[in-house]
Every structure is written in C-alpha cells, then in structure tokens.
Amino acid sequence: MNEDDFWRLIDECRLAGPDSDPDAERLAVALAARLTAAGLPAVIGFAEHLAAALFQLDRWEYGADLSGDAFLYTRAAVVAAGRAEYGAVLGDPTQFRPYARDLVWAEALLYVPDRAYRRLTGREWEHPTRHSYESFSNAEGWAGR
C-alpha cells in the first residue's frame, strides 16, 4: 500500500455511508472490513501509513496544551477527516485548534490494523511500525518547545 492508496481508502470508507457520517467507529469498521478483504500486506501497509501520518502531527505547535491521550485521539480525528483536511492542518497548525477545542476524537482509527489482523490470522497484532504514533514520541517535533 502506498500513500495514495492509504488516503484513498480513508476517503472511500469515510464517504461510504448514506449521509457521509464522519463517525470514527463507523469509519474504523469499514476500514477493517476493506483491509481484511485486501489481505495482510494491506493491513501492514495501512498501519505504517497511519503511524507516519500521526507522527507528522506529533509536534508541540499542535499538542502543547493537551494530555497524551487527548492529543493522540485528536490527531487521529484529523487523519480520519481525509487527505485534504489532513494536508490543511499539517500546513497550518491553527486549523488543528477546533479539533482540540471541541474534543473531536477518532480513537477507533488506531485499532483498525488490530481488528483486520485478528480477523485474518486469529492472533493479536504485534507488529511495530517504523514510526511511533504515541503522543510526544516525535523528538524533532517537540524540540522547539
């Protein structure tokens, strides 16, 4: 899975509902189903791209005033909003503020690889990604603090 495939999958699953419902749980269910159907390489690729996208947003100018969990779930909401919104927020940290202020969270997105992997293998996900998506793990992003 390349980056374009990752964002296309998010956008397709986000828009899959009859009213384009942005609900994170619904998105996570749709993504896990699509990844399960696509197979293990797609699950691993999705996990890598998700972690990289979250890692890029892990910077002090976005999360200086948030707890670790709130910051992680809010970053996930930006990713769940799709490629265009993600790019806009990445380019202008002030566009992150409404997500943080209104506690727009998409925690369920974090568990998509786990769900799909479990369905495919019957085992728990234990594959580390190249980047950590945990809050405050991007040392370079927090260096300016």
Side-chain angles (χ1 to χ4, degrees), residues 51-79:
L54 293 168
F55 185 81
Q56 286 184 314
L57 289 172
D58 184 19
R59 302 186 335 221
W60 71 271
E61 61 263 39
Y62 294 102
D65 298 328
L66 296 172
S67 71
D69 285 345
F71 186 40
L72 175 58
Y73 304 157
T74 304
R75 287 183 290 134
V78 173
V79 174

Side-chain angles (χ1 to χ4, degrees), residues 16 19 21 33-35 37 41 50 54 87 100 137:
D19 59 357
D21 186 355
R34 292 275 299 271
L35 289 171
L50 176 60
L54 293 168
S137 64

